[in-house]
Amino acid sequence: MNDEIRRRMFREMEQKAIFDEARDAAYNYADQALERNVFPTQEAIENLARFDQPLPEDPGDAHEILNQLNTFGSPATVAQIGGRYFGLVNGGIIPASLAVRWLTDFWDQNTPLYLSSPVASRLEEITEAWLRELFALPDSTVAGYVSGSSMSIFCGLAAARQRNFERLGWDINRKGFTDAPRLRVITGRQAHGTVSKAIALLGFGIDNVEWVDTDVQGRIATDAVPELDQSTILILQAGNVNSGAFDDFSTLCAKARQVGAWVHVDGAFGLWAAASQQLKYLTAGIELADSWSFDGHKTLNTPYDSGVIMCRDRAALVNALHASGAYIVYSDNRDGMLHTPEMSRRARVCELWAALKYLGKSGIDELVYGFHLRARQFAQELEQHGFEILNDVVFNQVLVACGSDTLTTETIKNIQQSGECWVGGTQWQQRSVIRVSVCSWATMPTDVSRSVKAFVDAREQARTTSV
Ligand SMILES: *Cc1c(COP(=O)(O)O)cnc(C)c1O
């Protein structure tokens, strides 16, 4: 052994040829992705078999590795950076935010502590203040930067669990659930699946939840919410994952505050409505909640790996995530790990900071309101072509049905196969529906019209093949 592999790596760092190749491949991808088929072709999928190789005995060649990934991996991606992907709630990517990610990848920062990355620490603080201002949240609110809403919901509910148990004189970190007083968890029947997951992970038990009925739009039925008390955690939703509907925060948060119940708002994509002049009526009252979870990688179009937990009660969040008992770790500088479950983390805040700085308040407003306008355009054009729209399009989500469930399901399949655009299906009030989520800055009105045409063709094809 003569340090051969190390010498090679020094050479690669110095010569930078592999980085140039990666850059060229990325540019090529970006140029094609706007126009290519949205879902990979059958051939591209079959070519993934090329990756079925044994773990190498010996070092490989960086060029070959990159080349293999680009040749057989790039075509098997879903073209999410283009304007015609409407599945899940997947945002596009803001160029400035992507560029920042490239730079910060070279930094390779680990960000648990101020001392491990002063720049990340500072940007976390600044971004926290910006988000507080943007969403008009209370002055005491702190932010933790996590991987996504799954994790930020978990953090919010962990803080709620901490605080509510503490009020009842119980240290959950030390004593656990055995012999613990009972906490109540209340949420709507249409809470997101990741809410149930967090409830399970935190030991509350999904069967112990007091599930509240929802109205035709998927909003929690305000009148059906049971009496709250200080042992209660109430989980509300800003943006139903299917319909985009918003719960009645003003009424429910006010009620909760009166009795000292904790309110968490799952605002994964919908919280951003608060940043739009025309849409912020939807989030009225959120400032009365205790914790809020949302993503950068959905509505704000940052790269993935960007979730945020915001919590009005710093002590509850920090104590919950660090099992540190009834004290706060004070530090002159911000130590990011106090606000997240993870210790080692990349400097993910940089992309969020960059997106906010790039767009500014008016740019965010334009972006978010633009999703709404395109969603309404979708609904309008589809209706003109005889499709049924099942939800009030209050935000960026559109639920669409054809005559029968079979026709709808077949139509979805045909749309997906067309490569023209991509939409998923879901169940809505016992019906199969097409689910459209407009969430990328790259979606222009022409993309909507082109996609509507794909819908019409796909339905026509379904009608002719099913008879
Ligand atoms: C996407 C989503 C989540 C989960 O967020 P991830 O970032 O995918 O972990 C939770 N709640 C709602 C309403 C969502 O749309």
Side-chain angles (χ1 to χ4, degrees), residues 289-301:
D290 298 276
S291 53
W292 307 263
S293 49
F294 58 94
D295 283 324
H297 55 223
K298 290 180 178 173
T299 317
L300 190 64
N301 284 212

Side-chain angles (χ1 to χ4, degrees), residues 22-36:
R23 187 194 55 196
D24 291 347
Y27 290 174
N28 219 346
Y29 181 84
D31 286 343
Q32 290 172 8
L34 297 181
E35 270 313 308
R36 64 160 252 215

Side-chain angles (χ1 to χ4, degrees), residues 237-259:
Q237 187 163 248
N240 177 292
V241 78
N242 287 321
S243 68
F246 292 69
D247 290 339
D248 177 357
F249 307 109
S250 296
T251 307
L252 291 169
C253 292
K255 259 191 190 166
R257 285 206 87 66
Q258 269 172 10
V259 296

